[in-house]
Amino acid sequence: MRGTRRPNIQEWDFGEVSWMSLGGWIALVVLLAFAIYVISDGFYTVDAHERAVVLRFGKFRPPVVEPGLRFKIPLVDEVIKVSVAENSMRLPALSSSRGAQSDEEATLMLTGDLNAASVEWTIQWKVEEPEKFLFRFYNSSDPHYAERIIRTVAESVMNRLVGDYSIDEVLTERRGEIAQLAREAMQRILDSYDCGVVIRDLQMQRVRPPERVRPAFEAVNASLQTREQLENEAKKERNMRLPIALAERDKLIREAEGYAQRRRAEAEGEIAALLAQYREYEKAPAETRRRLYLETMEELLKRVQLQVIVDSELQRSILPLMQIPTEIK
């Protein structure tokens, strides 16, 4: 039929080519979008204060990623960043919305002698092993989950240790010891959790008696300071007098030793004289006996004021008297 228009082969080919070009463009766009997704999701940055833990299909893939620009497999790897910076925490946690009385009640602890003390302290902690921390203390829905656990451990340890000391020890000389024991006890508990957290330091901040009994404790502290001052003065006096006493003791000891040596020499001399007399007596016993008799009588007669000498051959009826001077020349 003349009125019927035959199809144009060139137009049909052109339309088919257009559809093929459109499909190529769609594929190119899809590839480009996938490349953008891979670039945006595959590369990540780890800051200097962070470490990254890579989970491949939910399983930890060591090692822990260090700071820098890193790559992960999209849709396969999950990257969780963990802060390894040192954290500081003041305990017990006080709320600004509460009054001063409520804050003091939150810090009260019972000591070993059944007194109350207001104790505040600070701890410094950090994550040393991010992979252990991730599987123990990490909670994506609660960023403060680890802090609450560490706070609970710290408060339980501190309450137990303060209960082992008296109020005077907590307030004065044993504070450093309590802080050291608390840090060690906290670390042992956290190590048992295998959480990769290290307690770097624990410092006692404010330790004081409750407000209601504070004047009495201040009076006690004043008396303790007075006692310490008196003890220091006594030690000073002792240090001043002790060398003098020691020197006097040494002097008396030397004098006593000298006197003992002198008396020993005198006794030895007297013994030697007596031995010499004894040896002479053995040589002439009769003469020695007579000499000793005469010397003894001479000593006795010196003490007698009136001497009467009677001849043994005189008759008893006649008693002659003769005046003899008291001193014999």
Side-chain angles (χ1 to χ4, degrees), residues 15 40 42 45 74 82 101 106 131 135 178 184 236 241 268 296 300 323:
S40 61
T45 302
V82 178
Q101 187 67 26
E131 68 279 11
F135 292 106
I178 294 174
E184 294 174 356
K236 179 180 178 181
R241 291 180 177 271
E268 291 175 353
T296 303
L300 291 174
Q323 297 293 336

Side-chain angles (χ1 to χ4, degrees), residues 15-32:
E16 185 177 355
V17 172
S18 299
W19 280 106
M20 292 179 61
S21 300
L22 180 60
W25 280 105
I26 293 175
L28 181 62
V29 171
V30 170
L31 290 175
L32 183 61

Side-chain angles (χ1 to χ4, degrees), residues 65-235:
V65 180
E66 297 293 326
L69 181 63
R70 306 296 176 180
F71 176 78
K72 69 180 181 69
I73 302 176
L75 304 177
V76 175
D77 292 342
E78 179 184 1
V79 176
I80 301 177
K81 300 177 183 179
V82 178
S83 174
V84 294
E86 187 169 294
N87 300 278
S88 179
M89 183 186 305
R90 188 178 182 93
L91 297 172
L94 304 179
S95 175
S96 59
S97 60
R98 295 184 299 183
Q101 187 67 26
S102 299
D103 286 344
E104 186 181 42
E105 292 178 357
T107 62
L108 291 181
M109 294 184 183
L110 190 65
T111 61
D113 52 357
L114 302 181
N115 284 298
S118 177
V119 182
E120 299 180 36
W121 71 99
T122 59
I123 59 174
Q124 281 77 39
W125 61 277
K126 67 175 298 185
V127 178
E128 290 284 352
E129 298 177 272
E131 68 279 11
K132 294 182 178 180
F133 178 81
L134 173 65
F135 292 106
R136 293 291 184 179
F137 284 175
Y138 179 75
N139 190 339
S140 59
S141 61
D142 186 2
H144 301 290
Y145 179 75
E147 293 182 3
R148 289 193 287 108
I149 294 178
I150 296 174
R151 181 182 297 110
T152 302
V153 172
E155 291 177 351
S156 63
V157 168
M158 188 61 68
N159 275 279
R160 176 176 60 82
L161 286 175
V162 170
D164 293 338
Y165 293 84
S166 66
I167 182 65
D168 293 334
E169 293 173 336
V170 173
L171 293 176
T172 54
E173 72 272 9
R174 307 301 286 274
R175 293 174 57 178
E177 178 180 339
I178 294 174
Q180 179 65 21
L181 292 176
R183 190 191 69 80
E184 294 174 356
M186 284 188 61
Q187 190 60 61
R188 285 195 299 269
I189 294 175
L190 294 175
D191 290 343
S192 67
Y193 294 160
D194 197 23
C195 59
V197 175
V198 175
I199 304 299
R200 304 297 296 272
D201 192 19
L202 190 149
Q203 294 290 333
M204 305 289 285
Q205 296 298 324
R206 290 194 302 177
V207 181
R208 55 186 180 177
E211 186 69 32
R212 289 176 292 180
V213 296
R214 193 167 300 164
F217 275 93
E218 291 178 354
V220 172
N221 290 332
S223 64
L224 293 176
Q225 293 176 0
T226 302
R227 183 189 69 180
E228 184 177 358
Q229 180 181 359
L230 293 176
E231 289 178 352
N232 293 333
E233 292 177 357
K235 291 179 181 178

Side-chain angles (χ1 to χ4, degrees), residues 241-253:
R241 291 180 177 271
L242 186 60
I244 300 175
L246 293 176
E248 186 67 21
R249 182 198 65 180
D250 295 339
K251 178 182 177 183
L252 293 176
I253 290 175

Side-chain angles (χ1 to χ4, degrees), residues 263-307:
R263 291 297 300 161
R264 189 179 297 110
E266 293 175 355
E268 291 175 353
E270 292 176 358
I271 292 172
L274 290 174
L275 291 176
Q277 291 179 3
Y278 177 73
R279 286 191 292 268
E280 294 297 328
Y281 175 76
E282 287 181 337
K283 295 178 181 179
E287 289 78 2
T288 304
R289 187 181 302 110
R290 180 179 179 84
R291 179 183 174 184
L292 292 175
Y293 174 77
L294 293 175
E295 290 178 354
T296 303
M297 292 302 297
E298 183 179 2
E299 289 293 332
L300 291 174
L301 290 176
K302 286 181 180 180
R303 302 175 186 177
V304 179
Q305 296 180 358
L306 178 63
Q307 295 94 9

